Amino acid sequence: MLDPRRLCIHQVTLSLRLSTPEFVAALVRNRVPATALWRDKTREHGVAATAKLVADGGIALSGYCFGGLITSPDAGEAARARDEVRRALDEAAELGAPCLVFVAGGVDPRDKDIAAARSRALDGIAELLPHARSVGVKLALEPLHPMICASRSVLSTVGLANDWCDRLAADDIVGIAVDTYAVWWDPDVDREIARAGRRICSFHVSDWLPDTQDLRLDRGMMGDGVIDLPHLRRGVEAAGYDGYVEIEIFSQRNWWQRDADEVIAVIRDRVQGDV
Amino acid sequence: MLDPRRLCIHQVTLSLRLSTPEFVAALVRNRVPATALWRDKTREHGVAATAKLVADGGIALSGYCFGGLITSPDAGEAARARDEVRRALDEAAELGAPCLVFVAGGVDPRDKDIAAARSRALDGIAELLPHARSVGVKLALEPLHPMICASRSVLSTVGLANDWCDRLAADDIVGIAVDTYAVWWDPDVDREIARAGRRICSFHVSDWLPDTQDLRLDRGMMGDGVIDLPHLRRGVEAAGYDGYVEIEIFSQRNWWQRDADEVIAVIRDRVQGDV
């Protein structure tokens, strides 16, 4: 059973048809202590206004989703993408979010060179560190599932995130976001979570549905899939993580279709179990 | 450019609406030297009749697709699944196929235990070795993409296939099938292909489309995606592989809708390039 003070529900878990004020009101009404805000929605409502909303509601922030996509082989494009990450870091600081969830970027059809894309991502992160430090917001490197390697993230495993952190040698300002959905299949995940240790600064939870129908938007509610979630939670906690358990479910065909109060009630019910 | 004698087109690459005689006729008509037969289609036409067809057509077989799915947590189900693999091995022998492409099986919602599923897969393979040896057909362990880990295969990386081969210590009768589509994203793939060396007994080629829309049936034609195919081919060849380059494209929305002669012509054109 999860300590209810550690429950965090990401904005993207509830239907994005909700405005940010409607979303925050749903959290307050249901006594959800924390969230991670979604950048598009935050900018739509305004960063300062959103900061005030969550502060007034007494909602804590686990992080800000997301910044990144810096792997372009075109130097100008990549520089503009890094500037966009700097703006996202500024917004996270203004919101009071401790980290920016960082999504590396994919493989460009123009060069089809995944090794080069990984190299550009790592170099690009190194360039972003001074700005992250100056605003006091950690970059939470999030390995994403290999099925979105081409489109979203060449950072595909916790092992590679550890390798990058070793190279960056900046554990004060770079961490790792472990997402159960992205990493559960990895034969090395237990070892690499242990190796990550206190680098783990964010823990995202959802389940893998046996009949998954979409590469991004068909995540499952905890308990509806095949991931041994208690095992992964024990792993990150043994590594030293004691922060929020962050429910992040992209679900176009199911949960996004439902009422916010209902979704939150189901989440509360499921985290009573050992997830 | 590929030596045309090394070209192999898997049966599943052409529309499965073609009967096996129609499929073999298309290969003969287009002077394709080799194929890997698809088990359902072979059984539909009859194993002996199919063996005669390919022999009469002068078509070589690179392998037989597929057998496996032995990870059930129910002992009776798992035993029946292993018996089914033995039948598939017998059929491969009758056809004259040198290997059976082996797909491990997924994670059962009944136990949600991927480590146990992997352990059962490895133990099950060990039980199959005497039969494979007795009929002289190699088990070609095929790592499949992590996105089908739950439904089809807990063998998710070339590294894990190497670990299993180390444990089995049976390189005479167990090999590894490397599929570009399944492994291209893996940060360790170059190292693990080198480690596999002459264990590599099968090499399947297709491309990853940037706008992939399905977890299984939306593979791309070589050149239409983001995989550096020449790089992977050089890797397996440096490891010692000199067998067929096997075109295996599951493509419900595109290539399966097209005429067999057209698909073969496009493949011939693409392999003129450096894939």
Side-chain angles (χ1 to χ4, degrees), chain B residues 88-128:
Chain B
L89 285 163
D90 293 344
E91 292 162 21
E94 184 172 353
L95 293 163
C99 71
L100 175 69
V101 174
F102 183 87
V103 173
V107 178
D108 200 292
R110 287 172 291 185
D111 75 346
K112 305 186 184 206
D113 187 340
I114 190 170
R118 285 178 171 141
S119 175
R120 289 193 295 267
L122 180 56
D123 292 347
I125 294 166
E127 288 195 44
L128 291 166

Side-chain angles (χ1 to χ4, degrees), chain A residues 153-175:
Chain A
S153 177
V154 291
L155 180 57
S156 307
T157 62
V158 181
L160 188 59
N162 275 319
D163 291 347
W164 287 8
C165 286
D166 286 350
R167 292 274 299 278
L168 292 164
D171 287 350
D172 62 308
I173 202 67
V174 177

Side-chain angles (χ1 to χ4, degrees), chain B:
Chain B
M1 165 163 182
L2 180 69
D3 178 339
R5 290 170 299 183
R6 288 182 63 201
L7 177 63
C8 168
I9 297 179
H10 279 217
Q11 187 165 14
V12 77
T13 297
L14 303 186
S15 169
L16 292 174
R17 286 178 309 216
L18 291 186
S19 69
T20 292
E22 287 167 337
F23 168 73
V24 173
L27 296 184
V28 172
R29 182 168 68 241
N30 289 282
R31 297 176 311 284
V32 175
T35 189
L37 294 166
W38 196 249
R39 192 172 181 222
D40 292 349
K41 299 297 287 186
T42 299
R43 289 160 63 95
E44 186 182 303
H45 185 67
V47 179
T50 302
K52 182 168 179 350
L53 260 183
V54 295
D56 289 353
I59 307 292
L61 295 180
S62 64
Y64 189 41
C65 296
F66 64 87
L69 309 182
I70 62 169
T71 51
S72 171
D74 179 277
E77 278 178 19
R80 286 190 291 279
R82 289 194 301 274
D83 283 342
E84 193 60 40
V85 177
R86 291 185 184 97
R87 279 189 285 277
L89 285 163
D90 293 344
E91 292 162 21
E94 184 172 353
L95 293 163
C99 71
L100 175 69
V101 174
F102 183 87
V103 173
V107 178
D108 200 292
R110 287 172 291 185
D111 75 346
K112 305 186 184 206
D113 187 340
I114 190 170
R118 285 178 171 141
S119 175
R120 289 193 295 267
L122 180 56
D123 292 347
I125 294 166
E127 288 195 44
L128 291 166
L129 298 184
H131 194 84
R133 268 200 198 93
S134 75
V135 299
V137 173
K138 209 172 244 204
L139 287 168
L141 308 187
E142 184 172 31
L144 289 179
H145 197 285
M147 70 184 167
I148 52 172
C149 180
S151 56
R152 305 285 274 193
S153 176
V154 291
L155 181 58
S156 307
T157 62
V158 181
L160 188 59
N162 274 320
D163 292 345
W164 287 9
C165 285
D166 286 348
R167 292 276 298 279
L168 291 163
D171 286 351
D172 62 307
I173 201 67
V174 176
I176 296 176
V178 172
D179 183 314
T180 59
Y181 192 79
V183 308
W184 73 280
W185 59 271
D186 183 351
D188 297 327
V189 70
D190 292 343
R191 185 185 73 206
E192 293 294 338
I193 282 174
R195 175 182 164 206
R198 293 190 176 272
R199 282 173 176 162
I200 299 170
C201 61
S202 195
F203 180 52
H204 302 178
V205 175
S206 65
D207 210 341
W208 183 283
L209 298 173
D211 65 336
T212 301
Q213 289 171 26
D214 187 90
L215 277 79
R216 283 193 60 235
L217 305 180
D218 195 24
R219 296 185 178 208
M221 180 65 68
M222 300 76 72
D224 290 346
V226 301
I227 306 179
D228 185 349
L229 296 168
H231 173 80
L232 289 172
R233 179 145 82 96
R234 282 193 299 271
V236 299
E237 291 177 354
Y241 181 78
D242 59 4
Y244 291 107
V245 171
E246 308 176 42
I247 312 305
E248 185 188 47
I249 306 173
F250 302 76
S251 172
Q252 196 156 50
R253 69 170 162 132
N254 188 352
W255 301 102
W256 286 356
Q257 305 300 327
R258 304 206 196 188
D259 176 74
D261 292 321
E262 180 196 354
V263 177
I264 295 171
V266 173
I267 290 171
R268 280 218 183 271
D269 179 60
R270 300 295 173 91
V271 300
Q272 299 289 320
D274 186 25
V275 297

